Amino acid sequence: MSCSHATTTTVAWLYGEAPDAHALHVAGCPDCAAVADDHAGVVGALGPALGALRDAAEAPAREPVPRRSRWAIAGFGLAVAAAAALAVSTRAIPPTVPSGATAAPTIAAIDTFDAALDDLDLDVATLEQELQ
Amino acid sequence: MTVRNTREIADVASSSLDRRIASLGTELLGFLRRRTVDPEEVAQETWIRVAAADPDCPDDRSFRAFVYVVARRLLIDAARRRARARPLVPLDGGQHPSDDAPPDAALSAGQSLAVVERTLREMKPELAEVFRWRMTTDLSFKQIAERQGVSLNTALGRHHQATNHIARALREHGLWTE
C-alpha cells in the first residue's frame, strides 16, 4: 500500500479515534478505501457472532494442541503402517504388485492423519462455539 | 452580499445535498441490509453524519464514495456496540441469535465465527490479541499499545494485519459479502 495513512490514521478513524474529516481522504484514496472495505467486511461477516469473540478475549487462552501430540499420533500411525509394510514384505509378493507399493501407504497414512487432524480442529472449534 | 443572496445560496446547496441523499437512499439501505441487523439505524446515522459534514464533493461519484466510507465506519461502530452489549450469561443454553436476524444470517455468522476463530488461533498471538480487544472491549488503540508495550502505530498496524488475515480467510471460505 502506498498511502502512509492506510494502516495507521485510517484504521484509527474506522474505530472512532481520528477526526471525522479524515473521511474525505478515505473516500478519495483507493488504498484507504480498500482498508475500510476490509474492516467493515469482517465485521459484517461476523454480524451478531462478533460478541462471541469477547468471551475468548476474557477467558484464559485455550491451549493449542501441542505439535508433539500430533507427531505422537502420526508416529503411531507410521509405526502401524511400517508394521503392516513389514508384514507384507515378508510374505510372497505376487509378481503383479509394483516395487514401490510398500512405501506409498506409509506417506499417504501420514498425510491422511494430518488432514484428519486439521478437519477435527475445525469441527471442535465449531462445536465449542455452538455449545457456548 | 445581501441576506437574500446568502439565503438563496444556502437553499441551493441544501437542495443539492438533499438530491444526492435521495438518489442514494435505497441503494445504501440495500448495502446495509446485507451487512448488519440494524440497517435503518445505520442508514439514518450515515445521513446525519453526511449532512453535518456537507462534504465538498465535486461530483456525484465522489459524494457516493464519501457516503459509503461513512457508512462502513458506522457499521463497525454498530457491530462493536452490539458485541459489548451481549449478555455474558446465555439465557437459553448457549445460543445467541439476534432477534432481528433471519436464521440463514445466523448460520452464516456462525460459520464466519468458526473461520475467524481458527484464523485468530493461527496468527501471531499479539495480532489476535489486538483484534479481540479492539473489537469487543472499550480499550482504545492507545490503551492496547500500552498494554502490549508497543507504539500506537504498531498496535494499529497489528490490528490491520489481523483484519487482513481474517478477510482473506473469509473470502477463501466464500463467506465474504461484496
Side-chain angles (χ1 to χ4, degrees):
Chain A
M1 290 194 169
S2 57
C3 180
S4 61
H5 296 297
T7 60
T8 52
T9 316
T10 294
V11 174
W13 171 78
L14 281 167
Y15 295 87
E17 296 184 32
D20 287 348
H22 188 68
L24 265 175
H25 166 81
V26 177
C29 171
D31 286 347
C32 291
V35 167
D37 191 37
D38 273 354
H39 284 252
V42 166
V43 165
L46 279 169
L50 181 60
L53 291 177
R54 183 180 70 172
D55 296 335
E58 292 170 350
R62 185 175 73 87
E63 287 297 319
V65 175
R67 283 279 174 195
R68 205 171 42 242
S69 297
R70 290 193 179 198
W71 281 111
I73 295 171
F76 176 74
L78 176 60
V80 169
L86 186 63
V88 168
S89 69
T90 55
R91 293 187 312 198
I93 298 175
T96 55
V97 174
S99 59
T102 55
T106 304
I107 297 170
I110 295 172
D111 287 343
T112 301
F113 264 110
D114 267 351
L117 285 171
D118 286 340
D119 288 341
L120 189 59
D121 273 355
L122 185 56
D123 289 342
V124 167
T126 305
L127 279 172
E128 282 179 351
Q129 292 305 326
E130 287 171 357
L131 287 170
Q132 282 177 358
Chain B
M1 183 174 289
T2 64
V3 171
R4 179 194 279 183
N5 283 346
T6 54
R7 187 174 297 140
E8 281 174 353
I9 290 170
D11 285 347
V12 168
S14 172
S15 71
S16 173
L17 182 62
D18 288 344
R19 176 188 63 76
R20 282 176 160 176
I21 290 175
S23 73
L24 286 174
T26 305
E27 178 191 319
L28 180 68
L29 206 50
F31 169 85
L32 293 172
R33 279 205 177 102
R34 294 192 296 276
R35 288 162 176 81
T36 180
V37 296
D38 306 308
E40 286 85 8
E41 184 183 321
V42 176
Q44 187 176 24
E45 185 62 29
T46 300
W47 295 129
I48 290 172
R49 299 281 184 109
V50 167
D54 194 10
D56 184 20
C57 297
D59 51 39
D60 288 348
R61 187 165 167 268
S62 58
F63 179 78
R64 182 177 180 276
F66 180 82
V67 168
Y68 274 86
V69 147
V70 171
R72 285 190 169 94
R73 179 182 162 183
L74 291 171
L75 273 172
I76 294 172
D77 273 353
R80 289 179 53 246
R81 268 201 312 273
R82 287 179 68 91
R84 289 198 300 273
R86 189 178 70 90
L88 281 172
V89 178
L91 302 176
D92 51 0
Q95 299 296 321
H96 297 282
S98 162
D99 290 336
D100 306 321
D104 55 345
L107 175 63
S108 176
Q111 291 170 334
S112 297
L113 180 63
V115 169
V116 170
E117 285 285 9
R118 184 181 186 186
T119 309
L120 286 169
R121 280 198 305 275
E122 290 172 352
M123 69 175 66
K124 291 179 186 174
E126 58 269 24
L127 304 188
E129 191 173 59
V130 176
F131 183 86
R132 287 189 199 275
W133 278 342
R134 197 64 188 92
M135 286 304 210
T136 63
T137 72
D138 287 330
L139 291 172
S140 66
F141 280 116
K142 185 167 180 289
Q143 290 167 322
I144 291 171
E146 284 166 3
R147 283 190 175 202
Q148 290 194 331
V150 298
S151 70
L152 173 59
N153 276 355
T154 299
L156 289 165
R158 284 179 175 179
H159 183 73
H160 178 65
Q161 281 183 60
T163 304
N164 235 358
H165 287 316
I166 291 169
R168 194 179 318 130
L170 289 169
R171 286 188 172 103
E172 285 170 1
H173 284 81
L175 294 167
W176 192 257
T177 304
E178 294 293 347

